[in-house]
Every structure is written in C-alpha cells, then in structure tokens.
Amino acid sequence: MTVQLEFRLLGPLEVLADGQPVAVGGPRQRTVLAVLALSPDRIVSVDSLMEALWNGEPPTTGRTQVAICIASLRKIFRSVGCRDEVIATQAPGYVLRGDGHLNDVVQFERLVAQVQREAGAVESAALLEEAMGLWRGPVLAGVSGHLAEAWAVRLEEQRLAAYEQQAGLQLELGKHRLMIGELSALVREHPLREQARAHLMLAQYRLGRRADALQTFREGWRISVDAFGMELGPTLRELHDRILRDDPGLMPVHTVPAIANSLVAPAQLPADVSAFVGREAEFELLDGLLDVSAESSSLAVGIIHGPAGVGKSGLAVRWADRTADSFPDGQLFADLSGNGSGPVRTGDVLGGFLQALGVPSAEIPSGLNERAALFRSVLRGRRVLVLLDNAESSAQIQPLLPGNRECCLLVTSRGQLSELLSKYGPLQLSLKALDMSSAVQLLGAVAGQERVAAEPGAAEQLVELCDRLPLALHLAAARLASRPHWTIRHLVDRFADEDRRLDELSRDEQGVRASYDASYRRLSSWAALLYQRLGEHRMSCFSVKSGATLMRTTQIGAEQLVDELVDARLVDVAASGLGKETIYRLFGLRLLHAREQANRHPELPLDGGDQTAAGAGTGAGTGEEHGHAADFALYRIAAPWQQAPCLSPAVQA
C-alpha cells in the first residue's frame, strides 16, 4: 500500500487519500461505499447492498450493477495510488478492509469506549472532545436509502449520548460558561432529552441565572405533560428542588479562570485599496445595515456576491473603514479562502477572533462548538463588525455568527449562500462590473490621469478589454504605471491578442486567471465539461437548449449544469422574461478562460458518478454501466455552429 485512505461518514460522505479528497462517483457508488465503510472488515452481502440501493425493489440487473459499482470503486482507489485490495470479494458479498486505513465511525466508537476505562474527568473530557470533533454535519449527508437512514439515526443517538456525557464532564470541571450556548441549542433542538435539560439548568444556575434555570425546568415540564401526559423524571425534579433551596453542592469544585474584564477592541481590517472609484449606490445600500443593527431585534447580515475580480473585497473593506466609528468595540476580519491556499478551518478563525478580543490562549477551548459558544458570549453586549471575505458556503459561516443584534456581519462570496439567505434574510448586494466612466477613472487613478486624457479612445478600449473589472483594471494600470514609456495604445494592442490576454493579466498568483481557476475548480465534472465546450465553440451567448445539444442531455439536465455555472459566477443571465427563453452570456475574459480550459483538457476523464448531474440525460438508463467510454464519446461530439456565437443552435436553425 502506498497511500492511506480515510473514510469520513460523520457528515457528508468523503474519502481522502493521504489527506487529499477523492471523487468517489455517483449516488450508487457512494451508497455502496457507505454501506461497506459502516461495517469495515465484515462481510456485506450483495442482497444487503441491493436493499440499500433500491429499498427492497431491485431491478433484474441489480447484482450486475452492484458489481459495476464495486469495480468502479476499486479503479478509483487504484488511480490514487492504493495498490492493495481495499474491497475484497468474499461470499456472499464484499468486505471493505480497514487495516491500514482510517474510518471516522470506528475512531468515534473507539474513543467513546475508551472513556469508560478512564477514571479522570480531565482525560475523559479530552477523549470525548476529540470524538465530537470528528463530526462534520448530519451523518451520511448526501447518501439516500432506508439502510443509510437507519445508520444515521443510530449514529446520531450515539453522538447525542456522547455529547451529554461530555457536557457533564465539562460541568464537573467547572466549564459551565463555555457550555451554556451549546446546551441551549441542544435543548431547543431536542426538548425531550432530560439529561441535556438538566445540564443546561445547572450551567444557568452556576452563572447566577437562577430564574432562567427554573424557567428551563418549567418549559420541559410543559412539553412533557402536553406530549405524554406525565411528569419529568426524578433527576430533573431533584435538581429543581436543589436550585429552589440554593444547595451549595451545586457549585463546581473546579472553576474556570475568569475572562479578562477589559477586553480589547480589535482593528483587523486589511489595508484599503489605494485607488477606489464609484460604487456610491452600493455604499448607500450597505449603510442600511447600520439601521438594521440599531433598530432590529436580530443580527444585521449583509452579503456582497458577484463574479471573480468584480471588487467585492475592496467594496467591503472600504465600507467597513468608512463606518468604523459605528462599531466602537472593534472590527474583526478573516479571509476564509486562506489567501487562495484553500479554505481555512473555522475553528482556527474563531481562535484568532477570541485572541483578538482579549481572551487568553489558555482559556480558549479546542472544540469548534465550544469556541463558537464562547465567541458569542464574549460579543454579548458589544458592538462589533465581523467581515468574512471569500466565503464558500453557509456552513463555513454559521459558527462565526455573533449572537446579538448590536453586531453586524458582512460577507463576500462568489456564490449565493442560499442557506444563509433562508435563515437570516440578509441584505443582498449583487456587484456588477464598473460603468465606463468609473472604469476609465480607475485606470487614470493608477496609471496617471494625464495619460488617460491624452488617449481617451484607447483608454476606453482598454477598460472594455478588461471587462471593466476592478481586478483586471488594477493589473493593467499597474503595468502602465511601471512602464511610463508605453502608450495605452501599445497595451491595447497587446491585449487584443486573445491568446495572450490572460497571460498579460496573470503575472502572479493574484491575477485574473487564478481568480477564475478558483471558481472553475469547484465545478462538478459535467459543469466543467459544459464550460469547456462553450469556450471551445466561442458561444458567448447561449440558451439551455444550446447546452442540452452540446451535452447530448435533456433540457432539465442541461439547466442544472447551466445553473451551476451561474452560481459559480462564470456565466451571467443576459435576458429572461415570462414565457421567453432565457439567454446566458459567457464573454470577455471568462470566455477566454473557458477556451483555455478546453485546450488544457482535450479529454476530461469523467467517471460515472457525475452522470446524474447532467440528468439521466445521456439516455443511459442505469447510468453507470457505460463508464468512461460513454464519457469520451460524449466529449467528442462535434458542434456545427461556430459562425455566430451569440445565437443558440435553435435560433440559428
């Protein structure tokens, strides 16, 4: 074996090979792999796999399709350098060999079992914290079927039991301040779990919130009586009586050192861009967040979204700097993309925020949930702006949300962050390219206004070649500023060569190509293939019908892929209307990038797993039987329309 595989099931199903993600295919392959990984080193019969795939109603080709899934998984593991037989055939089914590989379910159960052998509260609490840290979200998210659902219920019960045990140990160690936020959320989500309610009552009492603890008991009593017509259990009733008489035994033996009373006011905003023009309408909209945070009972949340290079970060930082006086308790900032090196860990961001707020390092808990709870507690009653740049998902943001209305959260993202939209109804600002006047003004601010005034026509041509994007304009203007002997016309002539334009604007890792590459890497294989084909055939304007023709799929399947390109901000909606066909645009620098990807990947090695993204639209029936041959045949389809790239094939016909 040359690589170590890691099977992660406590959240969305993931496989890592030496720490790098591995694409494991479509829904069937994921379901088969999940069932095998849930029972490592144990035989899983073919009948059980068919039950998991088709919920008791397998097709006549069910056994063949299971065998195809197994063969595909073995091929995937070999392709990442794993030479040993990870999945072995053993009658009456298959075995996933766990020796030498990691499995988070096995690791979780081992840590929980080890707690029973530990005598010390500190050691046991540390083991449980490590076990809880393995969870990344709802277990087996994205894997469907009755068997997967049954496993999810079982593992979720184990998680809740382990968390209640962990909370009890933390309270025993006197860490009630750190636990109260998570316990409150747990009781709201699971109001019938009496042990969790008892832990919350004790934490509230120890924080001097005696009335809240009694109210927590009364709410539990009402729910129990209404739902089942019976009293709460003896543990809660006894704790209620002890709180009423202020039993000294309720106070902890161990205490957590108090957080410093005079917390600092952080000022973490990065340096503002040197040249900034326009965006007055956008500033006015963002100013509405100040009214929300002052008058509303909920947190003020704003999202600036738009394509790469459009100036989202610059606008957010400029607005945050302009409104700094409105947040006297400080401004927190984090680039969630890690400056292009990959998404940063949310726990690390929270640790940095807590330190910036004055919490001593020794008092910052190691668990993500505990850090999030402490973060909300520290911000309580304080007016702080939290600016999160380059967010990729709502899940990445959730633990970083302040808990009070005095604070304000501003997020920049290329995507829509739909879950955040549905929960908080934030202010949305969809940022577009600069208008011509502002774009020329920005060019002059960096390159020199006298040079722009001397060549106004060339200046307008240059900003159009840069798609009027602030990132591209800054890079072009910086080249002019560093070469005073160049005319603007000279740079226009260089940019006019489409094969060189991205090179001219991508001199370092912060260039235009890198920004589009970041969006492209997050596409599914089929959406990436559509993007390439659009670039290959220079289709700057197209319809869903055009995409369906390119991909040989149904319009529904093509619409899913086009929506993915729109969400990634690689494609824009050009025109739409009731009863009219929607037209999409892929133009300028993004079209050049799509062409470049098509040239770079003449044969994209898709696997059967992504075929569902395009819909069963290939007409494949069961889908995975066709494998790579069908993928390559699909990719080599010739398109006859190249003469008029702004028309869909249907229009040209």
Side-chain angles (χ1 to χ4, degrees):
M1 183 184 69
T2 57
V3 300
Q4 182 183 56
L5 298 177
E6 180 180 354
F7 302 97
R8 305 174 71 182
L9 303 107
L10 300 180
L13 174 65
E14 292 181 354
V15 179
L16 305 180
D18 284 348
Q20 298 301 312
V22 177
V24 294
R28 290 179 191 166
Q29 288 169 225
R30 296 173 69 83
T31 299
V32 168
L33 179 60
V35 174
L36 292 173
L38 286 166
S39 303
D41 296 316
R42 294 197 292 272
I43 299 173
V44 180
S45 69
V46 174
D47 289 339
S48 295
L49 293 173
M50 290 195 297
E51 172 69 25
L53 286 170
W54 292 287
N55 295 328
E57 298 181 2
T60 56
T61 60
R63 290 181 176 273
T64 301
Q65 293 187 44
V66 168
I68 290 173
C69 289
I70 295 293
S72 297
L73 290 170
R74 287 169 171 165
K75 184 175 181 180
I76 290 169
F77 296 150
R78 287 195 299 271
S79 71
V80 297
C82 191
R83 296 197 182 95
D84 61 344
E85 189 177 32
V86 181
I87 302 177
T89 301
Q90 192 167 341
Y94 303 95
V95 176
L96 181 73
R97 290 176 172 169
D99 185 32
H101 303 297
L102 301 177
N103 185 311
D104 59 359
V105 172
V106 174
Q107 191 177 359
F108 173 79
E109 293 178 341
R110 176 181 58 78
L111 290 167
V112 172
Q114 190 175 345
V115 170
Q116 313 308 322
R117 301 190 294 270
E118 286 288 347
V122 174
E123 294 79 6
S124 296
L127 288 170
L128 285 170
E129 185 171 352
E130 182 180 352
M132 298 306 298
L134 296 171
W135 287 77
R136 298 169 290 110
V139 64
L140 293 176
V143 178
S144 60
H146 297 332
L147 189 59
E149 292 170 2
W151 268 98
V153 171
R154 171 191 162 189
L155 289 168
E156 175 65 10
E157 177 58 34
Q158 291 181 2
R159 182 188 74 85
L160 292 173
Y163 180 78
E164 288 176 342
Q165 186 178 5
Q166 179 196 24
L169 290 168
Q170 297 288 14
L171 291 173
E172 183 181 337
L173 294 170
K175 297 183 179 180
H176 42 274
R177 184 182 300 275
L178 300 180
M179 297 302 300
I180 193 164
E182 289 299 317
L183 285 170
S184 297
L186 179 62
V187 169
R188 283 195 302 271
E189 188 175 354
H190 301 280
L192 297 176
R193 296 191 73 90
E194 293 193 5
Q195 186 60 70
R197 189 172 294 274
H199 288 333
L200 176 59
M201 289 171 59
L202 181 58
Q204 289 171 326
Y205 180 78
R206 288 180 175 179
L207 286 172
R209 295 163 54 182
R210 187 171 181 265
D212 288 343
L214 296 174
Q215 178 62 26
T216 298
F217 176 86
R218 285 193 293 272
E219 289 174 354
W221 178 86
R222 177 181 53 77
I223 292 170
S224 183
V225 169
D226 290 348
F228 304 107
M230 64 182 186
E231 291 278 351
L232 291 171
T235 299
L236 277 171
R237 295 201 305 272
E238 179 185 354
L239 178 59
H240 177 258
D241 293 341
R242 293 179 69 187
I243 290 174
L244 283 174
R245 65 175 186 268
D246 287 320
D247 185 345
L250 293 177
M251 298 309 293
V253 176
H254 305 277
T255 58
V256 177
I259 295 174
N261 290 326
S262 63
L263 299 178
V264 299
Q268 294 189 331
L269 295 179
D272 198 358
V273 292
S274 57
F276 191 98
V277 299
R279 305 300 195 192
E280 292 306 320
E282 288 82 357
F283 282 131
E284 186 174 347
L285 286 173
L286 289 173
D287 286 343
L289 291 173
L290 303 177
D291 298 331
V292 172
S293 61
E295 300 174 4
S296 174
S297 59
S298 59
L299 175 69
V301 178
I303 301 176
I304 304 174
H305 52 80
V310 79
K312 301 180 295 293
S313 302
L315 174 64
V317 171
R318 174 60 64 100
W319 180 81
D321 188 62
R322 284 174 38 153
T323 59
D325 291 343
S326 298
F327 301 98
D329 295 313
Q331 308 91 38
L332 295 168
F333 173 85
D335 181 355
L336 300 184
S337 73
N339 277 326
S341 61
V344 297
R345 296 174 54 186
T346 306
D348 293 341
V349 175
L350 282 169
F353 281 177
L354 289 169
Q355 284 186 318
L357 289 164
V359 180
S361 299
E363 296 181 24
I364 297 177
S366 57
L368 174 63
N369 294 335
E370 291 78 7
R371 288 188 177 191
L374 180 58
F375 178 61
R376 294 191 295 270
S377 299
V378 170
L379 288 182
R380 186 176 180 84
R382 294 160 63 86
R383 191 164 173 79
V384 173
L385 171 66
V386 181
L387 175 52
L388 304 177
D389 199 20
N390 295 313
E392 293 190 1
S393 67
S394 298
Q396 191 183 24
I397 297 169
Q398 191 69 37
L400 300 168
L401 286 167
N404 61 309
R405 67 180 182 86
E406 291 87 356
C407 292
C408 176
L409 175 71
L410 183 59
V411 182
T412 74
S413 175
R414 297 180 188 183
Q416 294 280 0
L417 304 179
S418 55
E419 187 176 341
L420 201 66
L421 295 176
S422 63
K423 283 188 176 182
Y424 300 98
L427 167 74
Q428 294 185 70
L429 200 165
S430 182
L431 205 57
K432 309 295 184 184
L434 293 170
D435 58 66
M436 175 62 74
S437 176
S438 297
V440 173
Q441 184 182 351
L442 177 58
L443 182 67
V446 178
Q449 297 292 356
E450 67 285 350
R451 296 174 76 176
V452 170
E455 298 181 87
E460 291 187 355
Q461 285 182 274
L462 182 60
V463 300
E464 286 294 356
L465 289 171
C466 293
D467 291 351
R468 291 184 273 118
L469 294 175
L471 173 61
L473 288 168
H474 272 283
L475 293 169
R479 297 200 68 194
L480 287 172
S482 64
R483 292 165 176 79
H485 56 287
W486 279 12
T487 63
I488 297 178
R489 172 59 58 189
H490 177 71
L491 193 57
V492 168
D493 291 341
R494 292 173 68 100
F495 279 21
D497 184 350
E498 293 185 344
D499 293 331
R500 290 178 49 87
R501 196 182 309 163
L502 280 178
D503 291 332
E504 296 283 352
L505 291 169
S506 304
R507 297 287 172 167
D508 55 35
E509 296 179 357
Q510 303 302 317
V512 172
R513 178 183 287 115
S515 66
Y516 290 148
D517 282 348
S519 297
Y520 175 79
R521 283 194 296 267
R522 290 194 287 269
L523 295 175
S524 67
S525 298
W526 282 91
L529 179 56
L530 175 57
Y531 181 66
Q532 292 173 21
R533 294 201 64 78
L534 290 168
E536 179 182 359
H537 299 293
R538 300 173 181 262
M539 296 183 69
S540 60
C541 297
F542 65 97
S543 66
V544 167
K545 192 179 297 183
S546 309
T549 304
L550 278 176
M551 300 295 288
R552 286 282 176 88
T553 184
T554 63
Q555 289 203 48
I556 293 177
E559 187 172 32
Q560 293 175 349
L561 300 182
V562 174
D563 283 344
E564 188 176 343
L565 294 179
V566 172
D567 289 342
R569 298 310 177 99
L570 291 170
V571 161
D572 299 324
V573 177
S576 63
L578 187 63
K580 296 181 179 179
E581 186 177 38
T582 301
I583 302 299
Y584 299 89
R585 289 204 312 163
L586 172 62
F587 68 98
L589 297 173
R590 282 177 287 180
L591 181 58
L592 296 181
H593 182 262
R595 284 176 51 199
E596 188 175 86
Q597 295 306 317
N599 294 332
R600 195 178 290 176
H601 304 284
E603 289 186 345
L604 185 66
L606 300 175
D607 59 61
D610 273 333
Q611 291 186 20
T612 53
T618 55
T622 56
E624 287 152 342
E625 296 94 323
H626 296 272
H628 293 291
D631 294 329
F632 290 140
L634 170 67
Y635 189 77
R636 295 189 185 106
I637 297 168
W641 54 88
Q642 298 185 35
Q643 305 91 331
C646 267
L647 295 178
S648 71
V651 173
Q652 294 184 49

